[in-house]
């Protein structure tokens, strides 16, 4: 049986106290160079790999890492443009703290529960894109600080970082109406799970994803102020993917009077729309204006550059991490400002 080499063995071989040997591995800057080299040589000779980090973490009560959790597949963190910018903000804040990041996701609920329970972290940032209530439920059981982003409903007991969805949506809908558009359509993020296509007012009112409903309410409020009735603005629910967005566009532009402006509830939806319209020779913004929501970097590079509501995406990530490290045991609700960003994808409608 191979004998485990312990720190005390290294200290004895080097002729120093166990405390000094420990400092060589954990606080080398306070140990004299010749002592440090003697301890390191003894460690190499004995085959000592260094102190067990789990033991140090247990003694400290902190692991100096943030868990970022979602019920989406792990690929979401890398494929979705909003998620990529948000992760950059989270990473920046963790760098400032000298902390690590653990991505937590799973293909099913059972594995998600296990992954959240077993994650070695000091707290969680929850991407409540889908299944947000379940994420909160599972994370509460860990009794660690957590911050929810995009939770399906308002919950005073949960720390959140977000934006004023209604105000952002109202700003961009007002911009299109003020350009003269009267035939508009909304391409929505999900209102409930597993449904796409044209939705009714009753289905909008019963949405479980409140951010999507708030944005529809913001669009409609601004349009109503300018004499455009909600009944005249169809709402197509999508899954924020190419297939469901293209199905909505095929329906809209197959009608006798297609819209002259699209209110897309994410930049991802808007970018899919730009590609679909270009492939069919429909000029943007000459024939139809396209407006997004998020402010992802890809929108600046699209053809034409995308008009959008810019969220401070990276700042949302940084604030979420900061809230965890500064957790005082009380829920915090932070709401950040958005900015209407007008670029080349919107213009007045074509002449009748």
């Amino acid at each position: 049986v191979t004998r485990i080499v312990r720190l005390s063995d290294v200290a004895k071989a080097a002729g120093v106290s166990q405390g000094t040997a420990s400092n060589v591995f954990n606080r080398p800057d306070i140990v004299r160079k010749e002592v440090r080299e003697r301890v390191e040589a003894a460690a190499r000779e004995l085959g000592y790999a260094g102190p067990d980090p789990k033991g140090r973490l247990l003694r400290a009560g902190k692991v100096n890492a943030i868990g970022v959790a979602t019920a989406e597949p792990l690929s979401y963190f890398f494929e979705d443009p909003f998620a990529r910018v948000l992760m950059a903000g989270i990473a920046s804040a963790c760098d400032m703290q000298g902390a690590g990041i653990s991505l937590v996701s799973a293909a099913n609920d059972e594995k998600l529960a296990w992954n959240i329970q077993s994650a070695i972290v000091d707290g969680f940032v929850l991407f409540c894109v889908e299944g947000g209530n379940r994420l909160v439920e599972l994370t509460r059981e860990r009794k660690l600080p957590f911050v929810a982003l995009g939770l399906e409903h308002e919950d005073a007991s949960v720390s959140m970082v977000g934006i004023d969805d209604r105000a952002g949506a109202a700003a961009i809908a007002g911009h299109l109406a003020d350009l003269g558009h009267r035939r508009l359509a909304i391409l929505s993020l999900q209102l409930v799970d597993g449904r796409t296509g044209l939705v009714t007012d009753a289905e909008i009112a019963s949405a479980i994803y409140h951010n999507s409903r708030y944005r529809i309410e913001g669009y409609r409020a601004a349009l109503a102020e300018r004499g455009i009735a909600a009944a005249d603005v169809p709402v197509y629910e999508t899954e924020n993917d190419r297939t469901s967005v293209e199905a909505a566009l095929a329906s809209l532009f197959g009608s006798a009077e297609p819209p002259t402006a699209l209110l897309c509830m994410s930049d991802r939806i808007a970018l899919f729309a730009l590609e679909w319209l270009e492939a069919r020779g429909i000029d943007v913004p000459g024939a139809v204006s396209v407006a997004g929501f998020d402010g992802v970097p890809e929108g600046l590079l699209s053809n034409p550059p995308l008009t959008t509501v810019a969220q401070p995406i990276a700042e949302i990530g940084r604030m979420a991490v900061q809230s965890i490290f500064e957790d005082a045991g009380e829920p915090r609700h932070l709401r950040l400002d958005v900015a209407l960003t007008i670029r080349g994808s919107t213009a007045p409608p074509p002449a009748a």
Side-chain angles (χ1 to χ4, degrees), residues 37-329:
E37 290 176 347
R38 193 163 76 244
V39 171
E40 289 170 347
R44 286 194 298 272
E45 186 175 339
L46 294 172
Y48 178 65
D52 182 357
K54 294 191 293 296
R56 184 173 70 251
L57 295 173
L58 287 171
R59 288 192 297 273
K62 293 284 185 180
V63 297
N64 210 26
I66 294 291
V68 184
T70 178
E72 294 284 320
L74 197 59
S75 59
Y76 167 76
F77 290 112
F78 307 97
E79 294 175 352
D80 186 90
F82 182 90
R84 288 199 298 268
V85 178
L86 193 59
M87 284 302 302
I90 290 171
S92 172
C94 286
D95 280 343
M96 293 291 290
Q97 294 283 345
I101 298 173
S102 177
L103 300 183
V104 181
S105 178
N108 58 56
D109 184 76
E110 183 180 348
K111 288 184 178 177
L112 180 64
W114 167 252
N115 289 346
I116 288 177
Q117 285 299 318
S118 61
I120 304 175
V121 296
D122 296 316
F124 289 91
V125 176
L126 307 182
F127 279 34
C128 299
V129 183
E130 185 175 328
N133 292 331
R134 180 61 174 154
L135 275 177
V136 169
E137 177 187 337
L138 292 169
T139 307
R140 280 192 201 274
E141 297 174 7
R142 284 297 304 272
K143 302 190 185 310
L144 291 173
F146 68 90
V147 177
L149 309 180
L151 190 62
E152 291 97 318
H153 60 83
E154 299 288 353
D155 187 336
S157 70
V158 175
S159 290
M160 301 182 192
V161 181
I163 61 165
D164 188 334
D165 289 281
R166 289 190 185 93
I172 202 158
H175 162 66
L176 287 171
D178 291 342
L179 286 172
H181 291 278
R182 290 298 178 268
R183 296 204 313 270
L184 303 98
I186 297 169
L187 298 185
S188 172
L189 293 169
Q190 284 191 282
L191 298 163
V192 298
D193 293 326
R195 183 183 67 196
T196 61
L198 189 65
V199 293
T200 65
D201 284 352
E203 287 169 331
I204 294 168
S206 62
I208 64 169
Y209 292 110
H210 75 276
N211 299 69
S212 301
R213 177 166 56 84
Y214 290 168
R215 291 182 190 182
I216 293 172
E217 290 171 356
Y219 293 144
R220 286 179 162 182
L223 296 177
E225 288 177 1
R226 293 159 174 84
I228 302 172
D232 296 331
V233 182
V235 178
Y236 279 79
E237 187 173 6
T238 79
E239 293 186 313
N240 202 32
D241 66 355
R242 187 182 298 275
T243 300
S244 58
V245 170
E246 291 185 347
L249 292 168
S251 177
L252 285 166
F253 287 89
S255 65
E257 287 196 323
T260 63
L262 297 173
L263 285 161
C264 302
M265 207 176 282
S266 76
D267 285 351
R268 182 177 169 90
I269 291 173
L271 294 170
F272 287 142
L274 288 177
E275 292 177 8
W276 188 91
L277 293 165
E278 182 181 23
R280 284 151 185 80
I282 301 173
D283 183 60
V284 177
V288 59
S289 288
V290 177
F293 200 117
D294 283 337
V296 302
E298 289 84 348
L300 187 58
L301 304 174
S302 62
N303 182 30
L306 182 64
T307 293
T308 189
V309 176
Q311 300 192 51
I313 308 173
E315 183 63 16
I316 289 172
R318 286 191 287 269
M319 294 295 291
V321 172
Q322 187 177 329
S323 292
I324 291 171
F325 281 113
E326 296 177 355
D327 178 66

